[in-house]
Amino acid sequence: MVDSIVERRTNRLVVDRRRKHGEVVSGNITWTETKVTPAERAQLLGHEASTIWLTGLSGSGKSTIAYELEKQLIWMGHVAYTLDGDNIRFGLSRDLSFAPEDRTENIRRIAEVCKLFNDAGILVVTAFISPYRVDRAMAREIVGADRFIETHLATAIEVCEERDPKGLYKKARAGAISDFTGISAPYESPENPSLLVDTSRMSVLESVSEIMRVVTPRFRQE
């Protein structure tokens, strides 16, 4: 009985160690390839699959711009879907906090979902603060550099705090929220993003138009 408990605990430690280092935990599994090529999906859907990764401070406009971009892509006849930071934490990442290690795991999960959606040929728009460069680099590696469009909503914290649409900055300043990006937790700006948009100088539609300019070349011309 004791040996059995020790063995289970040992196995648990091994699994936790593998997870920490990004290793596959399951054994006796084999990757099975699809018989549909990315080119065939692009031909069917009218675009090359991509992930438009919006990153920026709370209040920079990520969700607003993401859903407007998604709407316009759908109106144009493309298959698109938005993954929103708050929404994801109601389901897929409901077991994660905002501690650094949990933020990393959250981004890993999102990136894997983006990869699956992209493999299906879908255009993905994400709206996540994703404050750490190393986590965004991980996301790029998982999704694939050729599909990953890092878009920095480079809006100054003063502007974001003045907007404060959810009242989070006020709570963070009062000490009611810990690990709040920009106040009690860091935000590491992208060093070389695919696109930089300052939403304090551009409207929602102007911001979407700027992003669309980068995405449009991925559309298939009839």
Side-chain angles (χ1 to χ4, degrees), residues 42-67:
Q43 183 65 35
L44 173 67
L45 299 173
H47 58 250
E48 297 176 7
S50 306
T51 292
I52 302 101
W53 190 281
L54 306 185
T55 175
L57 294 168
S58 177
S60 61
K62 296 181 299 300
S63 295
T64 301
I65 290 172
Y67 283 113

Side-chain angles (χ1 to χ4, degrees), residues 48 78 97 116 130 190 194:
E48 297 176 7
H78 298 285
S97 71
L116 291 173
S130 44
S194 305

Side-chain angles (χ1 to χ4, degrees), residues 47-216:
H47 58 250
E48 297 176 7
S50 306
T51 292
I52 302 101
W53 190 281
L54 306 185
T55 175
L57 294 168
S58 177
S60 61
K62 296 181 299 300
S63 295
T64 301
I65 290 172
Y67 283 113
E68 179 62 32
L69 177 59
E70 177 192 55
K71 182 180 74 173
Q72 291 195 23
L73 288 168
I74 294 292
W75 282 359
M76 294 172 68
H78 298 285
V79 181
Y81 190 77
T82 292
L83 298 173
D84 177 77
D86 280 6
N87 291 357
I88 286 295
R89 287 179 177 273
F90 281 100
L92 181 64
S93 295
R94 65 184 179 186
D95 58 324
L96 300 178
S97 71
F98 288 99
E101 62 274 14
D102 279 359
R103 286 180 184 267
T104 295
E105 172 59 14
N106 184 50
I107 296 305
R108 187 196 68 80
R109 293 181 189 183
I110 301 312
E112 292 287 0
V113 171
C114 289
K115 182 179 185 299
L116 291 173
F117 274 47
N118 283 172
D119 285 348
I122 298 170
L123 292 167
V124 183
V125 186
T126 74
F128 295 89
I129 293 175
S130 44
Y132 303 123
R133 293 191 189 105
V134 65
D135 290 349
R136 296 193 300 269
M138 172 186 63
R140 180 189 297 274
E141 182 177 358
I142 291 171
V143 173
D146 57 328
R147 290 176 168 177
F148 194 84
I149 304 173
E150 185 178 35
T151 303
H152 181 203
L153 301 191
T155 307
I157 188 170
E158 293 80 10
V159 175
C160 294
E161 189 166 0
E162 183 179 351
R163 291 173 178 170
D164 203 10
K166 302 174 184 177
L168 300 179
Y169 282 97
K170 185 177 181 180
K171 290 181 180 179
R173 292 292 186 189
I177 301 177
S178 60
D179 297 318
F180 189 79
T181 303
I183 304 298
S184 53
Y187 178 78
E188 300 170 356
S189 298
E191 296 178 323
N192 188 30
S194 305
L195 183 63
L196 188 148
V197 176
D198 184 349
T199 62
S200 68
R201 300 175 180 272
M202 303 173 71
S203 69
V204 172
L205 293 181
E206 288 171 337
S207 299
V208 169
S209 178
E210 186 68 9
I211 297 170
M212 197 71 79
R213 181 180 60 80
V214 176
V215 177
T216 300

